[in-house]
Amino acid sequence: MLDEDFARIRAHRNNIHRYRKLLKTRLSDLERRFIERRLSEENSALRTLVSSTFPLTFDMAEAPTPAIAGAVS
């Protein structure tokens, strides 16, 4: 199952990359709107897939600042 999820993630990332490259070319307004919409849909699908495949997130807490020797608190 995880291999299938990774394949889907790769497919979404490849599509996103392809749409971004297309947006750098000369396009009609209609083509540009279509590609922008597809790019938005791919980004959304990727976020959903990643959050369901990797449900845990870790917030990195900042390391406490060491007390300076001789400092008054």
Side-chain angles (χ1 to χ4, degrees):
M1 178 79 165
L2 196 56
D3 288 337
E4 293 171 6
D5 291 337
F6 285 146
R8 286 187 190 106
I9 288 170
R10 269 193 311 276
H12 286 302
R13 290 182 61 202
N14 289 343
N15 289 342
I16 289 168
H17 179 72
R18 184 172 47 255
Y19 291 140
R20 286 182 178 159
K21 279 178 55 175
L22 282 170
L23 287 174
K24 293 177 183 178
T25 64
R26 291 182 72 153
L27 301 167
S28 70
D29 290 340
L30 180 64
E31 291 169 326
R32 184 166 300 280
R33 284 194 309 266
F34 174 80
I35 293 173
E36 287 172 345
R37 186 178 75 239
R38 290 293 301 134
L39 179 59
S40 175
E41 290 169 356
E42 288 289 341
N43 277 317
S44 178
L46 178 61
R47 277 194 302 273
T48 301
L49 180 58
V50 167
S51 67
S52 67
T53 304
F54 305 105
L56 298 176
T57 59
F58 299 99
D59 293 328
M60 299 297 292
E62 290 187 29
T65 307
I68 299 173
V72 177
S73 299

